[in-house]
Structures are given as structure tokens and as C-alpha cells.
Amino acid sequence: EAGVVQSPRYKIIEKKQPVAFWCNPISGHNTLYWYLQNLGQGPELLIRYENEEAVDDSQLPKDRFSAERLKGVDSTLKIQPAELGDSAVYLCASSPAGTTGGELFFGEGSRLTVL
Amino acid sequence: AQRVTQPEKLLSVFKGAPVELKCNYSYSGSPELFWYVQYSRQRLQLLLRHISRESIKGFTADLNKGETSFHLKKPFAQEEDSAMYYCALYAQAAGNKLTFGGGTRVLVKP
């Protein structure tokens, strides 16, 4: 079974440039999460989707971050414009229906460096 | 709001020695606690959950509601246990949110 797939794995951009990350969850998983992981810290939730609906985006900085999950499968996380402090690893995770919300399957992450 | 604290950033032990990773949480309700692990160059993955009361790769963890702790233990550490370990709390009553601690790096020396 293929796991959660993220791309790109690495991205280096200059500040004020836009960047987008893509995530393909495990087939059949209806819940999708985007987490932010700063260096030396644990993951922090940015947004959670149930199918195509964003049910928790309270931690998403909406002035520069946006996300979408069209058709309830793949998801894209965008930052525009990027700032130096956005340098981090962006993790996507998914979970199937019927499981406790604490059992997540993670992708390998997208490491962003903003210069 | 819920909070998870892992007081040790780094634990260094010798192979065969016991290892204990501390995890303390703050939450007023009944949480579900998890340990996740990330081996070098691998993705973050679930190690164990308190409701299962299982031993995975020799690791066990007991939820102590009185002390609000969920420490991870292994009696005899192996070199392959070297990894980052994250304690996490799931609170359905708090918006179905999974909150992670800051992580503990375990280094098992030969």
C-alpha cells in the first residue's frame, strides 16, 4: 500500500516568493491534515480536512497561507508571499474514517528554506 | 487548551541499558495518549497508543492520570532504537485535535 505522498521534498525560495506543496493521502482516507514542524519542535496542526471540508483551520495564518482539497482527495498548501520565518518542514498526514483521531499516517514532509 | 511537555531534548544511553522518555500533559478531560517515532531518514510513524496497552518493539507506556504522565520505557535499549520520539495527546472534546510534544532524541551508544 502506498503511503502519503508529498511533493516537493525540498524547496528553496527567496522571501516574498510564492510556494506550493502537494499531498496525496492514502487511498480511502477521508481525513487529511497539514502540520508545520519548526526545527527542534514537534508538529503543529495548520489545518484539518474531513473530505473536502476544512473543519479546523484555526491555526492557519490566513493572511499568507491557503489550502484546498478539491474533490476530497489531493490537497495543496500555498504560501504567498513567503517570509524567512516560514522555513520549516510541512507535513501532510491522513487517517481513515472510524479510527481515533490520534492515529495518523504521515508523509515524508516538504522542507522549505526561505532565503 | 491541551499541552504536552517532553522535558528531555536528548537522552543518551548505552546499549542494553534501560531508557525512559518522560511525557507530561495538561488537559482537563479524558485524553488519549500516543507515542510517535521518527527514525533517521524515515517518516513520522505511530509507535503505540495507551488504549491498546501493548508492547511495541519492547517499549511500553502507562497512562498515569494522577500525575498526568505517559512515560515511555524500554528495559534494554538497542542501537536501532536511536530516533526522535514524540508524545502526543488527542482530545476529541477539544476539537478532535492531536497535540505533539517537542520531542526527545534518543541516542543508543554501542
Side-chain angles (χ1 to χ4, degrees):
Chain A
E1 176 184 277
V4 175
V5 179
Q6 292 187 244
S7 69
R9 291 291 313 283
Y10 305 92
K11 188 73 174 180
I12 301 174
I13 61 172
E14 295 189 346
K15 63 181 180 181
K16 300 185 181 180
Q17 295 299 306
V19 63
F21 304 110
W22 174 81
C23 173
N24 179 240
I26 293 173
S27 178
H29 284 196
N30 63 326
T31 308
L32 183 146
Y33 312 76
W34 283 103
Y35 277 84
L36 164 69
Q37 187 170 24
N38 288 304
L39 186 65
Q41 299 182 25
E44 300 171 35
L45 180 68
L46 288 173
I47 189 168
R48 175 170 64 94
Y49 283 93
E50 295 288 347
N51 298 305
E52 65 273 11
E53 181 183 1
V55 295
D56 184 357
D57 63 356
S58 58
Q59 301 303 310
L60 189 72
K62 298 180 183 62
D63 56 336
R64 298 184 299 107
F65 286 65
S66 64
E68 60 183 13
R69 192 185 183 195
L70 301 177
K71 301 181 181 179
V73 182
D74 295 1
S75 178
T76 302
L77 177 70
K78 298 178 181 178
I79 308 174
Q80 182 172 12
E83 297 179 351
L84 295 177
D86 297 331
S87 295
V89 176
Y90 293 84
L91 295 169
C92 180
S94 68
S95 64
T99 61
T100 176
E103 299 177 24
L104 274 54
F105 294 81
F106 282 87
E108 294 180 291
S110 294
R111 182 179 296 276
L112 173 65
T113 301
V114 182
L115 303 176
Chain B
Q2 62 266 35
R3 186 180 180 91
V4 178
T5 303
Q6 295 179 247
E8 303 125 337
K9 284 291 187 185
L10 173 66
L11 275 180
S12 182
V13 300
F14 285 102
K15 176 183 174 181
V19 62
E20 180 179 33
L21 290 74
K22 290 184 169 49
C23 172
N24 293 93
Y25 67 90
S26 62
Y27 180 62
S28 57
S30 295
E32 294 182 45
L33 275 295
F34 302 82
W35 276 99
Y36 278 79
V37 61
Q38 186 168 27
Y39 300 103
S40 179
R41 298 190 180 88
Q42 294 188 29
R43 63 188 68 198
L44 190 60
Q45 59 186 286
L46 179 65
L47 178 62
L48 56 80
R49 68 216 82 178
H50 91 269
I51 57 174
S52 299
R53 303 186 64 82
E54 58 196 346
S55 173
I56 302 293
K57 298 184 179 182
F59 284 98
T60 59
D62 290 319
L63 178 61
N64 186 323
K65 292 187 177 181
E67 297 183 357
T68 60
S69 68
F70 187 56
H71 303 330
L72 183 68
K73 303 175 185 178
K74 185 169 183 176
F76 307 103
Q78 303 301 312
E79 291 182 68
E80 55 265 31
D81 297 327
S82 295
M84 280 295 298
Y85 292 81
Y86 295 93
C87 182
L89 180 154
Y90 173 70
Q92 186 172 14
N96 295 324
K97 188 164 292 186
L98 184 65
T99 301
F100 286 86
T104 298
R105 178 171 297 280
V106 172
L107 176 61
V108 182
K109 297 176 287 188

